[in-house]
Amino acid sequence: MIALVDCNNFYVSCERVFNPKLEGRPVGVLSNNDGCVVARSQEIKQLGVAMGAPAHQIEPHIRRQCILLSSNYALYGDMSRRVTDVLSQHTPHVDVYSIDESFLSFEGFPTETLIERCQAMRYQVRRDTGIPVSVGLSTSKTLAKIANHRAKKEACFDGVMMMEPGSDNTRAFLQQLPVTEIWGVAGRSAARLRTLGIETAWQLREASPKHLRKHFSVVMERIVYELRGEDCIPLDDMTQPKKQIMVSRSFGRLTQNKTDLREAVRTHTSRAGEKLRKQQGLAQAIMVFVRTNRFRQDLPSYSKSIVIPLPYATCDSRDLIRAAMAGLEQIFKSGIWYQKCGVMLLDLCDHHNEQLGLLGEHQSNEKRERNEKLMATLDKLNREHGKNTVRLGMPRKVNAWELRCENRTPRYTTRWDELPNATS
């Protein structure tokens, strides 16, 4: 049996854990640069604020009733880890699907005990982290996803719902469920399914898998089997090393200042280097890109990228920054109002399986070991004392390229020095 555990209104719930005054209030969390609503409490949904709604387009009389907070991803990530830690106490098989969703396997557990077991798990998550969760149970991930939705919306299930693939209740529900509500079926696929006379989840379940594979892909074939209760959708292995690492960010406001771009590229490259070292990888090239705001018709448009090969595979942030700065010099154009820049590490290889060329430049083993120790120390200081405690480049200051986050709450669980009334 598979369970999908989904944190209810996760970003808002994280904020409410540390500020109980937000309970019962219409609360929304905004995207980077305080742009669009990316998380909503039930109260703000009832006011008609849509997911993804630009903050500046919310009607003034509704805006006055809402509490809109800047996103606080450091807090949300740490709270997600804490929820996962609790889930791991109930089963050793936990696959983290997203920051607020995890698939759990209860293979070998007696089926008749699972609802009671999941209720206890749900209670412990709320007790230990303050985050409310809903649990959907079934024999496949797609049905578990549907069961989770029902557990969240229908109060009679008390947050935990089991959907048996062959039950009359499951059949009745799937006969009423539009295909657009199925995990993995997008609007365009749903439109094509309608041309085949398939409009409900039950009709899709009863369709020929081979016929649908011919018209769509193997993914649609798997969805049919999933609706029949057969688990056949593999999750991407989150532990696999990435083949590329990208770090980019839109600026808090437009800038023409070359120094701002240099500092932004430097910061993004340092972050990319940290991610690269975490997966024990090396990069052999780096791409740098800049671009303007394509929606500003009154300003010149400009978008440019460049790939800089590295003389040898490295994970040293100093080498990466040196190459990134050289790339920025080549693509920077004066007189342009820039809105975004970023870097991407390319041609990644495993630290222990580096393939050396016959004529390429290499570091001596002694020098590499010294550099690795330096980077490990830098990462440890930033991990234990907070991001950017030690950084490469100019002294810390507020820059035009940094995000707008006028209503960001403190990182309660990771930076005690940000808390109100904190003393040194």
Side-chain angles (χ1 to χ4, degrees), residues 144-174:
K145 190 94 169 175
I146 296 172
N148 183 279
H149 181 77
R150 295 186 67 183
K152 187 180 298 185
K153 299 297 182 181
E154 301 177 33
C156 60
F157 295 116
D158 194 23
V160 179
M161 194 271 173
M162 180 183 291
M163 183 172 277
E164 298 281 359
S167 70
D168 292 338
N169 180 277
T170 297
R171 176 172 182 165
F173 186 80
L174 294 182

Side-chain angles (χ1 to χ4, degrees), residues 27 31 63 77 195 199 212-213 292 294 372 379 386 392 419:
V27 181
S31 61
R63 179 75 180 258
T195 63
E199 297 187 3
L212 289 178
R213 179 171 182 170
T292 56
R294 63 181 183 275
E372 288 176 355
D379 292 341
L392 302 173
L419 301 182

Side-chain angles (χ1 to χ4, degrees), residues 178-182 184-200 204 216 220:
V179 290
T180 52
E181 297 297 318
I182 300 174
V185 180
R188 186 174 299 178
S189 297
R192 292 177 61 193
L193 286 171
R194 280 195 293 270
T195 63
L196 300 176
I198 299 174
E199 297 187 3
T200 68
L204 181 58
F216 294 87
M220 190 64 71

Side-chain angles (χ1 to χ4, degrees), residues 255-263 328-329 332:
T255 181
Q256 287 182 308
N257 193 322
K258 187 176 182 180
T259 301
D260 286 337
L261 265 71
R262 286 178 59 86
E263 185 63 10
L328 180 62
E329 288 292 331
F332 177 80

Side-chain angles (χ1 to χ4, degrees), residues 335-361:
I336 298 293
W337 288 96
Y338 293 94
Q339 189 240 357
K340 187 175 185 177
C341 73
V343 300
M344 180 184 291
L345 303 184
L346 306 171
D347 295 337
L348 306 189
C349 62
D350 185 79
H351 182 276
H352 303 291
N353 297 306
E354 179 189 359
Q355 184 172 356
L356 302 178
L358 292 176
L359 303 177
E361 181 181 343

Side-chain angles (χ1 to χ4, degrees), residues 228-371:
R228 296 177 181 180
E230 301 177 31
D231 183 36
C232 55
I233 295 182
L235 294 178
D236 292 332
D237 189 354
M238 304 298 284
T239 64
Q240 287 294 320
K242 296 180 175 64
K243 297 181 180 180
Q244 298 175 337
I245 294 177
M246 180 175 179
V247 179
S248 66
R249 195 66 58 84
S250 296
F251 300 155
R253 60 179 185 273
L254 301 183
T255 181
Q256 287 182 308
N257 193 322
K258 187 176 182 180
T259 301
D260 286 337
L261 265 71
R262 286 178 59 86
E263 185 63 10
V265 169
R266 188 191 307 274
T267 300
H268 296 337
T269 306
S270 295
R271 176 60 180 149
E274 182 181 340
K275 291 183 176 182
L276 181 63
R277 292 188 292 275
K278 188 174 182 179
Q279 70 175 40
Q280 296 187 332
L282 301 172
Q284 301 179 80
I286 183 169
M287 183 183 78
V288 184
F289 70 89
V290 296
R291 79 178 191 199
T292 56
N293 187 343
R294 63 181 183 275
F295 298 107
R296 290 289 300 269
Q297 302 297 326
D298 56 322
L299 297 174
S301 178
Y302 181 70
S303 179
K304 191 73 172 179
S305 65
I306 188 172
V307 175
I308 304 295
L310 297 168
Y312 45 81
T314 182
C315 63
D316 191 318
S317 291
R318 295 170 300 173
D319 296 332
L320 298 174
I321 289 174
R322 192 177 300 113
M325 291 296 104
L328 180 62
E329 288 292 331
Q330 296 184 51
I331 63 176
F332 177 80
K333 189 176 180 181
S334 60
I336 298 293
W337 288 96
Y338 293 94
Q339 189 240 357
K340 187 175 185 177
C341 73
V343 300
M344 180 184 291
L345 303 184
L346 306 171
D347 295 337
L348 306 189
C349 62
D350 185 79
H351 182 276
H352 303 291
N353 297 306
E354 179 189 359
Q355 184 172 356
L356 302 178
L358 292 176
L359 303 177
E361 181 181 343
H362 306 294
Q363 283 184 316
S364 66
N365 290 336
E366 181 182 352
K367 183 177 181 181
R368 168 172 283 190
E369 289 177 5
R370 186 170 64 249
N371 292 342

